[in-house]
Coordinates of all heavy atoms in Angstrom, one line a residue:
M11 N 87.9 117.1 118.5 CA 87.7 116.8 119.9 C 86.3 116.6 120.2 O 85.9 116.0 121.1 CB 88.2 117.9 120.6 CG 89.8 118.1 120.6 SD 90.5 116.5 120.9 CE 91.1 116.7 122.5
K12 N 85.4 116.9 119.2 CA 84.0 116.8 119.4 C 83.6 115.3 119.4 O 82.8 114.9 120.1 CB 83.2 117.5 118.3 CG 81.7 117.5 118.4 CD 81.0 118.4 117.5 CE 80.8 117.9 116.2 NZ 79.9 118.6 115.3
F13 N 84.2 114.6 118.5 CA 83.9 113.1 118.4 C 84.5 112.4 119.4 O 83.9 111.4 119.8 CB 84.5 112.6 116.9 CG 83.6 113.2 115.8 CD1 83.9 114.3 115.2 CD2 82.5 112.4 115.4 CE1 83.2 114.7 114.1 CE2 81.7 112.9 114.4 CZ 82.1 114.1 113.7
L14 N 85.6 112.8 120.0 CA 86.1 112.2 121.2 C 85.2 112.3 122.4 O 85.0 111.4 123.1 CB 87.5 112.7 121.6 CG 88.2 112.1 122.8 CD1 88.6 110.6 122.4 CD2 89.5 112.9 123.1
G15 N 84.6 113.5 122.5 CA 83.6 113.7 123.5 C 82.3 112.9 123.4 O 81.8 112.4 124.3
I16 N 82.0 112.7 122.1 CA 80.7 111.9 121.8 C 81.1 110.5 122.2 O 80.2 109.8 122.8 CB 80.3 112.1 120.4 CG1 79.7 113.5 120.1 CG2 79.2 111.0 120.1 CD1 79.6 113.8 118.7
G17 N 82.3 110.0 121.8 CA 82.6 108.7 122.2 C 82.8 108.5 123.8 O 82.3 107.4 124.2
I18 N 83.2 109.5 124.5 CA 83.2 109.4 126.0 C 81.8 109.2 126.5 O 81.5 108.5 127.4 CB 84.0 110.5 126.6 CG1 85.5 110.3 126.2 CG2 83.8 110.6 128.1 CD1 86.4 111.5 126.5
I19 N 80.9 110.1 125.9 CA 79.5 110.1 126.4 C 78.9 108.7 126.2 O 78.1 108.2 127.0 CB 78.8 111.2 125.8 CG1 79.2 112.6 126.3 CG2 77.2 111.1 126.0 CD1 78.8 113.8 125.6
V20 N 79.2 108.2 125.0 CA 78.5 106.8 124.6 C 79.1 105.8 125.5 O 78.3 104.9 126.1 CB 78.8 106.5 123.1 CG1 78.5 105.0 122.8 CG2 78.0 107.4 122.3
S21 N 80.3 105.8 125.9 CA 80.9 104.8 126.7 C 80.4 104.9 128.1 O 80.1 103.9 128.8 CB 82.4 104.8 126.6 OG 83.0 105.9 127.1
L22 N 80.3 106.1 128.6 CA 79.7 106.4 129.9 C 78.3 105.9 130.0 O 77.9 105.4 131.1 CB 79.9 107.8 130.4 CG 81.3 108.3 130.7 CD1 81.3 109.7 131.0 CD2 81.9 107.4 131.8
A23 N 77.5 106.2 129.0 CA 76.1 105.8 129.0 C 76.0 104.3 129.0 O 75.1 103.8 129.7 CB 75.4 106.4 127.7
T24 N 76.9 103.6 128.3 CA 76.9 102.2 128.3 C 77.3 101.6 129.7 O 76.7 100.6 130.1 CB 77.8 101.6 127.2 OG1 77.5 102.2 126.0 CG2 77.7 100.1 127.1
L25 N 78.2 102.3 130.3 CA 78.6 101.8 131.7 C 77.4 102.0 132.7 O 77.2 101.1 133.5 CB 79.8 102.6 132.2 CG 81.2 102.1 131.7 CD1 82.2 103.2 132.1 CD2 81.4 100.8 132.2
I26 N 76.7 103.0 132.6 CA 75.6 103.3 133.5 C 74.5 102.4 133.2 O 73.9 101.7 134.2 CB 75.1 104.8 133.2 CG1 76.1 105.7 133.8 CG2 73.8 105.0 134.0 CD1 75.9 107.2 133.5
I27 N 74.2 102.0 132.0 CA 73.1 101.1 131.7 C 73.6 99.7 132.2 O 72.8 98.9 132.7 CB 72.8 101.1 130.1 CG1 72.1 102.4 129.8 CG2 72.0 99.9 129.7 CD1 72.0 102.5 128.2
S28 N 74.8 99.3 132.0 CA 75.2 98.0 132.4 C 75.3 97.9 133.9 O 75.1 96.9 134.5 CB 76.6 97.7 131.9 OG 77.6 98.5 132.5
W29 N 75.6 99.0 134.6 CA 75.5 99.0 136.1 C 74.1 98.8 136.6 O 73.9 98.1 137.5 CB 76.1 100.4 136.6 CG 76.1 100.5 138.1 CD1 76.9 99.7 139.0 CD2 75.3 101.3 138.9 NE1 76.5 100.1 140.2 CE2 75.6 101.0 140.2 CE3 74.3 102.2 138.6 CZ2 75.0 101.8 141.2 CZ3 73.7 102.9 139.6 CH2 74.0 102.6 140.9
L30 N 73.2 99.4 135.8 CA 71.8 99.1 136.3 C 71.3 97.7 135.9 O 70.5 97.2 136.7 CB 70.9 100.1 135.4 CG 71.0 101.6 135.8 CD1 70.2 102.5 134.9 CD2 70.6 101.8 137.3
V31 N 71.9 97.1 134.9 CA 71.5 95.7 134.6 C 72.3 94.7 135.5 O 71.6 93.8 135.9 CB 71.8 95.5 133.1 CG1 71.7 94.0 132.7 CG2 71.0 96.3 132.1
G32 N 73.4 95.1 135.8 CA 74.3 94.3 136.7 C 75.1 93.1 136.1 O 75.4 92.2 136.8
N33 N 75.3 93.2 134.8 CA 76.1 92.2 134.2 C 77.2 92.8 133.4 O 77.1 93.3 132.3 CB 75.2 91.4 133.1 CG 75.8 90.2 132.7 OD1 77.0 89.9 132.8 ND2 75.1 89.4 131.9
P34 N 78.5 92.7 133.9 CA 79.6 93.3 133.4 C 80.0 92.6 132.0 O 80.7 93.3 131.2 CB 80.7 93.3 134.3 CG 80.3 92.2 135.3 CD 78.8 92.1 135.3
E35 N 79.7 91.4 131.8 CA 80.1 90.7 130.6 C 79.3 91.3 129.4 O 79.9 91.5 128.3 CB 79.8 89.2 130.6 CG 80.7 88.5 131.7 CD 80.2 87.1 131.8 OE1 79.3 86.6 131.1 OE2 80.9 86.4 132.6
I36 N 78.1 91.7 129.5 CA 77.3 92.4 128.5 C 77.9 93.7 128.2 O 78.0 94.2 127.1 CB 75.8 92.5 128.9 CG1 75.2 91.1 128.9 CG2 75.1 93.4 127.9 CD1 73.8 91.1 129.4
T37 N 78.5 94.4 129.3 CA 79.1 95.7 129.2 C 80.3 95.6 128.2 O 80.5 96.4 127.2 CB 79.5 96.2 130.4 OG1 78.3 96.2 131.3 CG2 80.1 97.6 130.3
V38 N 81.2 94.6 128.5 CA 82.4 94.4 127.7 C 82.0 94.2 126.3 O 82.6 94.7 125.3 CB 83.3 93.3 128.3 CG1 84.4 93.1 127.3 CG2 83.8 93.8 129.7
N39 N 81.1 93.2 126.0 CA 80.7 92.9 124.6 C 80.0 94.2 123.9 O 80.4 94.4 122.8 CB 79.7 91.7 124.6 CG 80.3 90.5 125.0 OD1 81.5 90.3 124.9 ND2 79.5 89.5 125.5
A40 N 79.3 94.9 124.6 CA 78.6 96.0 123.9 C 79.7 97.1 123.7 O 79.6 97.7 122.5 CB 77.6 96.6 124.9
L41 N 80.5 97.4 124.6 CA 81.6 98.4 124.3 C 82.6 98.0 123.2 O 83.0 98.8 122.5 CB 82.4 98.7 125.6 CG 81.6 99.5 126.6 CD1 82.4 99.5 128.0 CD2 81.4 100.9 126.2
L42 N 82.9 96.7 123.2 CA 83.7 96.3 122.0 C 83.1 96.4 120.7 O 83.6 96.9 119.7 CB 84.1 94.8 122.3 CG 85.2 94.5 123.3 CD1 85.4 93.1 123.4 CD2 86.5 95.2 122.8
I43 N 81.8 96.1 120.6 CA 81.1 96.2 119.4 C 80.9 97.7 119.0 O 81.2 98.1 117.8 CB 79.6 95.6 119.4 CG1 79.8 94.1 119.5 CG2 78.8 96.0 118.2 CD1 78.5 93.4 119.8
I44 N 80.6 98.6 120.0 CA 80.6 100.0 119.8 C 81.8 100.6 119.4 O 82.0 101.6 118.6 CB 79.9 100.7 121.0 CG1 78.5 100.3 121.2 CG2 80.0 102.2 120.9 CD1 77.9 100.8 122.5
G45 N 83.0 100.1 119.9 CA 84.3 100.6 119.6 C 84.9 100.0 118.3 O 85.6 100.7 117.6
L46 N 84.6 98.7 118.0 CA 85.2 98.2 116.8 C 84.6 98.6 115.5 O 85.3 98.6 114.5 CB 85.2 96.6 117.0 CG 86.2 96.0 117.9 CD1 86.0 94.5 118.1 CD2 87.5 96.3 117.5
I47 N 83.3 98.8 115.5 CA 82.7 99.2 114.3 C 83.3 100.6 113.7 O 83.7 100.6 112.5 CB 81.2 99.3 114.4 CG1 80.6 97.8 114.5 CG2 80.5 99.9 113.2 CD1 79.2 97.7 114.9
P48 N 83.3 101.7 114.5 CA 83.9 102.9 113.9 C 85.4 102.7 113.6 O 85.9 103.3 112.7 CB 83.7 103.9 115.0 CG 82.7 103.3 115.9 CD 82.7 101.9 115.8
T49 N 86.1 101.9 114.4 CA 87.5 101.7 114.2 C 87.8 101.0 112.9 O 88.7 101.3 112.2 CB 88.1 101.0 115.4 OG1 87.8 101.7 116.6 CG2 89.6 100.8 115.2
A50 N 86.9 99.9 112.6 CA 87.0 99.2 111.3 C 86.7 100.1 110.1 O 87.5 100.0 109.1 CB 86.2 98.0 111.4
I51 N 85.7 100.8 110.2 CA 85.3 101.7 109.1 C 86.4 102.8 109.0 O 86.7 103.2 107.8 CB 84.0 102.4 109.4 CG1 82.9 101.4 109.4 CG2 83.7 103.5 108.4 CD1 81.6 101.9 109.9
S52 N 87.1 103.3 110.1 CA 88.2 104.2 110.0 C 89.3 103.6 109.2 O 89.9 104.3 108.4 CB 88.5 104.6 111.4 OG 89.8 105.3 111.5
A53 N 89.6 102.4 109.5 CA 90.7 101.7 108.9 C 90.4 101.5 107.3 O 91.3 101.7 106.5 CB 90.9 100.3 109.4
L54 N 89.2 101.3 107.0 CA 88.8 101.2 105.5 C 89.0 102.6 104.8 O 89.5 102.6 103.7 CB 87.3 100.8 105.4 CG 87.0 99.3 105.6 CD1 85.5 99.1 105.7 CD2 87.7 98.4 104.7
F55 N 88.6 103.7 105.5 CA 88.8 105.0 104.9 C 90.2 105.4 104.8 O 90.6 106.1 103.9 CB 88.0 106.1 105.7 CG 86.6 106.2 105.3 CD1 85.6 105.8 106.1 CD2 86.3 106.8 104.0 CE1 84.2 105.9 105.8 CE2 84.9 106.9 103.8 CZ 83.9 106.5 104.5
A56 N 91.1 104.9 105.7 CA 92.4 105.2 105.7 C 93.2 104.4 104.7 O 94.4 104.7 104.3 CB 93.1 105.0 107.1
G57 N 92.6 103.4 104.2 CA 93.3 102.5 103.3 C 94.3 101.5 103.8 O 95.3 101.1 103.2
V58 N 94.1 101.0 105.0 CA 94.9 100.1 105.7 C 94.9 98.7 105.1 O 95.9 98.0 105.1 CB 94.5 100.0 107.2 CG1 95.3 98.9 108.0 CG2 94.7 101.3 107.9
F59 N 93.8 98.3 104.5 CA 93.6 97.0 104.0 C 94.0 96.8 102.5 O 93.6 95.8 101.9 CB 92.3 96.5 104.2 CG 91.8 96.6 105.6 CD1 90.8 97.4 106.0 CD2 92.5 95.8 106.6 CE1 90.4 97.4 107.4 CE2 92.1 95.8 108.0 CZ 91.0 96.7 108.3
V60 N 94.7 97.7 101.9 CA 95.2 97.6 100.5 C 96.6 97.3 100.4 O 97.4 97.5 101.4 CB 94.8 98.9 99.7 CG1 93.3 99.2 99.7 CG2 95.5 100.1 100.3
S61 N 97.0 96.8 99.2 CA 98.4 96.5 99.0 C 99.2 97.7 98.6 O 98.6 98.7 98.3 CB 98.5 95.3 98.0 OG 98.0 95.8 96.7
G62 N 100.5 97.6 98.4 CA 101.3 98.7 98.1 C 101.0 99.3 96.8 O 101.1 100.6 96.7
D63 N 100.7 98.6 95.7 CA 100.5 99.2 94.4 C 99.2 100.0 94.4 O 99.1 100.9 93.7 CB 100.5 98.2 93.3 CG 99.5 97.1 93.5 OD1 99.1 96.9 94.7 OD2 99.1 96.5 92.5
R64 N 98.2 99.6 95.3 CA 96.9 100.3 95.3 C 97.0 101.5 96.2 O 96.3 102.4 96.1 CB 95.9 99.4 95.7 CG 95.6 98.3 94.7 CD 94.6 97.3 95.2 NE 94.6 96.3 94.2 CZ 93.5 95.8 93.6 NH1 92.3 96.4 93.8 NH2 93.5 94.8 92.8
M65 N 98.0 101.5 97.1 CA 98.1 102.6 98.0 C 98.5 103.9 97.3 O 98.1 104.9 97.7 CB 99.2 102.3 99.1 CG 99.4 103.4 100.1 SD 98.0 103.7 101.1 CE 98.2 102.4 102.3
R66 N 99.3 103.7 96.1 CA 99.7 104.9 95.4 C 98.4 105.6 94.8 O 98.4 106.8 94.8 CB 100.6 104.4 94.2 CG 101.0 105.5 93.4 CD 102.1 105.0 92.4 NE 102.0 103.6 92.2 CZ 101.7 102.9 91.0 NH1 101.5 103.6 90.0 NH2 101.7 101.6 90.9
G67 N 97.4 104.8 94.5 CA 96.2 105.4 94.0 C 95.4 106.2 95.1 O 94.7 107.2 94.8
N68 N 95.6 105.8 96.3 CA 94.9 106.5 97.4 C 95.5 107.9 97.6 O 94.8 108.8 98.1 CB 95.0 105.7 98.7 CG 94.2 104.5 98.7 OD1 93.2 104.4 98.0 ND2 94.6 103.5 99.5
Y69 N 96.7 108.1 97.2 CA 97.4 109.4 97.4 C 97.3 110.4 96.2 O 97.8 111.5 96.2 CB 98.8 109.3 97.8 CG 99.0 108.7 99.2 CD1 99.3 107.4 99.3 CD2 98.7 109.4 100.3 CE1 99.5 106.8 100.5 CE2 98.9 108.8 101.5 CZ 99.3 107.6 101.7 OH 99.4 107.0 102.9
S70 N 96.6 109.9 95.1 CA 96.6 110.6 93.9 C 95.8 111.9 94.0 O 96.2 113.0 93.5 CB 96.2 109.8 92.7 OG 94.8 109.4 93.0
G71 N 94.6 111.8 94.6 CA 93.7 113.1 94.8 C 94.0 113.7 96.1 O 93.6 113.1 97.1
E72 N 94.5 114.9 96.1 CA 94.8 115.5 97.4 C 93.6 115.9 98.2 O 93.5 115.6 99.4 CB 95.6 116.8 97.1 CG 96.2 117.5 98.3 CD 97.2 116.8 99.1 OE1 97.9 116.0 98.5 OE2 97.3 117.1 100.3
D73 N 92.6 116.4 97.6 CA 91.3 116.8 98.2 C 90.7 115.6 98.8 O 90.1 115.5 99.9 CB 90.4 117.6 97.3 CG 91.0 118.9 97.0 OD1 91.9 119.5 97.7 OD2 90.6 119.5 95.9
D74 N 90.5 114.5 98.0 CA 89.9 113.2 98.3 C 90.7 112.6 99.5 O 90.1 112.1 100.5 CB 89.8 112.3 97.1 CG 89.2 111.0 97.5 OD1 88.1 111.1 98.1 OD2 89.7 110.0 97.2
F75 N 92.0 112.7 99.4 CA 92.8 112.1 100.5 C 92.5 112.8 101.8 O 92.5 112.2 102.8 CB 94.3 112.2 100.1 CG 95.1 111.7 101.2 CD1 95.3 110.4 101.6 CD2 96.0 112.6 101.9 CE1 96.1 109.9 102.5 CE2 96.8 112.2 102.9 CZ 96.9 110.8 103.2
R76 N 92.5 114.1 101.8 CA 92.3 114.9 103.1 C 91.0 114.6 103.6 O 90.8 114.5 104.8 CB 92.5 116.4 102.8 CG 93.9 116.8 102.6 CD 94.1 118.3 102.4 NE 95.4 118.7 102.0 CZ 96.4 118.9 102.9 NH1 96.2 118.7 104.1 NH2 97.6 119.2 102.4
K77 N 89.9 114.6 102.8 CA 88.6 114.3 103.2 C 88.5 112.9 103.9 O 87.9 112.7 104.9 CB 87.6 114.4 102.0 CG 86.2 114.2 102.5 CD 85.2 114.4 101.3 CE 83.8 114.3 101.8 NZ 82.9 114.5 100.7
R78 N 89.1 111.9 103.2 CA 89.1 110.5 103.9 C 89.8 110.4 105.1 O 89.4 109.8 106.0 CB 89.7 109.5 102.8 CG 88.7 109.2 101.7 CD 89.2 108.1 100.8 NE 90.4 108.5 100.1 CZ 91.6 107.9 100.2 NH1 91.7 106.9 101.0 NH2 92.6 108.3 99.6
M79 N 91.0 111.1 105.2 CA 91.8 111.2 106.5 C 91.0 111.8 107.6 O 91.1 111.5 108.7 CB 93.1 111.7 106.3 CG 94.0 110.9 105.5 SD 94.3 109.3 106.2 CE 93.7 108.2 105.0
S80 N 90.3 112.9 107.2 CA 89.5 113.6 108.3 C 88.4 112.7 108.8 O 88.1 112.6 110.0 CB 88.8 114.9 107.6 OG 88.0 115.4 108.5
I81 N 87.7 112.0 107.9 CA 86.6 111.0 108.3 C 87.2 109.9 109.1 O 86.6 109.4 110.2 CB 85.9 110.5 107.1 CG1 85.1 111.6 106.4 CG2 84.9 109.3 107.4 CD1 84.5 111.3 105.1
S82 N 88.4 109.4 108.7 CA 89.0 108.3 109.3 C 89.4 108.7 110.8 O 89.2 108.0 111.7 CB 90.3 107.9 108.6 OG 91.0 106.9 109.2
T83 N 90.0 109.9 111.0 CA 90.3 110.4 112.3 C 89.1 110.5 113.2 O 89.2 110.2 114.4 CB 91.1 111.7 112.1 OG1 92.2 111.5 111.3 CG2 91.6 112.2 113.5
K84 N 88.1 111.1 112.6 CA 86.9 111.3 113.4 C 86.2 110.0 113.9 O 85.9 109.9 115.1 CB 85.8 112.1 112.6 CG 86.3 113.5 112.5 CD 85.3 114.3 111.5 CE 85.8 115.7 111.3 NZ 85.0 116.4 110.4
L85 N 86.2 109.0 112.9 CA 85.7 107.7 113.4 C 86.6 107.0 114.5 O 86.1 106.3 115.4 CB 85.5 106.8 112.2 CG 84.3 107.2 111.2 CD1 84.4 106.4 109.9 CD2 83.0 106.9 111.9
F86 N 87.9 107.1 114.3 CA 88.8 106.5 115.2 C 88.6 107.1 116.6 O 88.5 106.4 117.6 CB 90.2 106.7 114.8 CG 91.2 106.1 115.7 CD1 91.3 104.8 115.9 CD2 92.0 107.0 116.5 CE1 92.3 104.2 116.8 CE2 92.9 106.4 117.4 CZ 93.1 105.0 117.6
L87 N 88.5 108.5 116.6 CA 88.2 109.1 117.9 C 86.9 108.9 118.5 O 86.7 108.8 119.7 CB 88.3 110.7 117.8 CG 89.8 111.2 117.5 CD1 89.8 112.6 117.2 CD2 90.6 110.9 118.7
L88 N 86.0 108.4 117.7 CA 84.6 108.1 118.2 C 84.6 106.7 118.9 O 84.0 106.5 119.8 CB 83.6 108.1 117.0 CG 82.2 107.8 117.4 CD1 81.6 108.9 118.2 CD2 81.4 107.6 116.1
G89 N 85.4 105.8 118.3 CA 85.5 104.4 118.8 C 86.5 104.2 119.9 O 86.3 103.2 120.7
L90 N 87.5 105.0 120.0 CA 88.6 104.8 120.9 C 88.2 104.8 122.4 O 88.5 103.8 123.1 CB 89.7 105.9 120.8 CG 90.9 105.7 121.6 CD1 91.7 104.5 121.3 CD2 91.8 106.9 121.4
P91 N 87.3 105.7 122.9 CA 86.9 105.6 124.3 C 86.2 104.3 124.7 O 86.3 103.8 125.8 CB 86.0 106.9 124.5 CG 86.4 107.8 123.4 CD 86.8 106.9 122.2
S92 N 85.3 103.8 123.7 CA 84.5 102.6 124.0 C 85.5 101.4 124.1 O 85.4 100.5 125.0 CB 83.6 102.3 123.0 OG 82.6 103.4 123.0
L93 N 86.6 101.4 123.3 CA 87.6 100.2 123.3 C 88.4 100.4 124.6 O 88.6 99.3 125.3 CB 88.5 100.3 122.1 CG 87.9 100.0 120.8 CD1 89.0 100.2 119.6 CD2 87.4 98.5 120.8
L94 N 88.8 101.5 125.0 CA 89.5 101.6 126.2 C 88.7 101.3 127.4 O 89.2 100.6 128.4 CB 90.2 103.1 126.4 CG 91.2 103.4 125.3 CD1 91.6 104.9 125.5 CD2 92.4 102.6 125.4
T95 N 87.5 101.7 127.4 CA 86.6 101.4 128.6 C 86.3 99.8 128.7 O 86.3 99.3 129.7 CB 85.3 102.1 128.4 OG1 85.5 103.6 128.3 CG2 84.4 101.9 129.6
A96 N 86.2 99.3 127.4 CA 85.9 97.9 127.5 C 87.1 97.1 128.0 O 87.0 96.2 128.8 CB 85.7 97.3 126.0
F97 N 88.3 97.4 127.7 CA 89.5 96.8 128.2 C 89.6 97.1 129.7 O 90.0 96.2 130.4 CB 90.8 97.2 127.5 CG 90.9 96.8 126.1 CD1 91.1 97.6 125.0 CD2 90.7 95.4 125.8 CE1 91.2 97.2 123.8 CE2 90.8 95.0 124.5 CZ 91.1 95.8 123.4
A98 N 89.3 98.3 130.1 CA 89.4 98.6 131.6 C 88.4 97.7 132.3 O 88.8 97.2 133.4 CB 89.1 100.0 131.8
V99 N 87.2 97.6 131.9 CA 86.1 96.8 132.5 C 86.6 95.4 132.6 O 86.4 94.7 133.6 CB 84.7 97.0 131.9 CG1 83.7 96.0 132.4 CG2 84.3 98.5 132.1
Y100 N 87.1 94.9 131.5 CA 87.5 93.5 131.5 C 88.6 93.2 132.4 O 88.5 92.1 133.2 CB 88.0 93.2 130.0 CG 88.5 91.7 129.9 CD1 87.7 90.7 129.8 CD2 89.9 91.5 129.8 CE1 88.1 89.4 129.7 CE2 90.3 90.1 129.7 CZ 89.5 89.2 129.7 OH 89.9 87.9 129.6
F101 N 89.6 94.1 132.5 CA 90.7 93.8 133.5 C 90.2 94.0 134.9 O 90.8 93.4 135.8 CB 91.9 94.7 133.2 CG 92.6 94.1 132.0 CD1 92.8 94.9 130.8 CD2 93.2 92.8 131.9 CE1 93.4 94.4 129.7 CE2 93.9 92.4 130.8 CZ 94.0 93.2 129.7
I102 N 89.3 94.9 135.1 CA 88.7 95.1 136.5 C 87.9 93.8 136.9 O 87.9 93.4 138.1 CB 87.9 96.3 136.6 CG1 88.8 97.5 136.5 CG2 87.1 96.4 137.9 CD1 88.1 98.9 136.4
M103 N 87.2 93.2 135.9 CA 86.4 92.0 136.2 C 87.2 90.8 136.6 O 86.9 90.1 137.4 CB 85.6 91.6 135.0 CG 84.3 92.3 134.9 SD 83.3 91.8 133.4 CE 84.1 90.4 132.7
T104 N 88.4 90.7 135.9 CA 89.2 89.5 136.2 C 90.1 89.6 137.3 O 90.4 90.6 138.0 CB 90.1 89.1 135.0 OG1 90.8 90.2 134.5 CG2 89.1 88.8 133.8

């Protein structure tokens, strides 16, 4: 939950900065970049981009698997608030 809180703080800080600048398009782009980078790294750690025969190798080491899934979950929770805020700002703008 700590990483979710950090993600919320980052997205709120980005919203405040964009409100001061006055350009919501920059806000959406910044929030998407801030949200997509941790989400993409999370997908790499989770092994989303590998084929079926290589997936078996990802589950071979129990300790390694648990560590990678922990990192993946934390990164996903870090990027999720920024992505949700970007979509909300985009739909409010249009």
Side-chain angles (χ1 to χ4, degrees):
M11 293 313 258
K12 182 170 90 172
F13 288 90
L14 183 64
I16 293 170
I18 291 171
I19 290 170
V20 168
S21 64
L22 288 176
T24 307
L25 279 175
I26 291 170
I27 291 170
S28 70
W29 180 68
L30 293 173
V31 172
N33 192 352
E35 292 175 3
I36 293 175
T37 305
V38 172
N39 290 337
L41 285 169
L42 281 174
I43 290 170
I44 292 170
L46 285 176
I47 290 174
T49 305
I51 296 172
S52 169
L54 285 173
F55 274 108
V58 172
F59 302 118
V60 296
S61 63
D63 60 336
R64 293 175 192 237
M65 184 62 85
R66 183 172 17 117
N68 289 337
Y69 291 105
S70 63
E72 183 70 26
D73 294 334
D74 182 47
F75 174 73
R76 288 186 189 273
K77 185 176 179 181
R78 283 187 296 116
M79 287 301 115
S80 172
I81 292 171
S82 176
T83 303
K84 290 174 183 176
L85 286 170
F86 179 73
L87 289 175
L88 183 67
L90 183 65
S92 295
L93 289 174
L94 294 176
T95 307
F97 290 129
V99 170
Y100 177 75
F101 285 119
I102 289 172
M103 273 182 9
T104 57

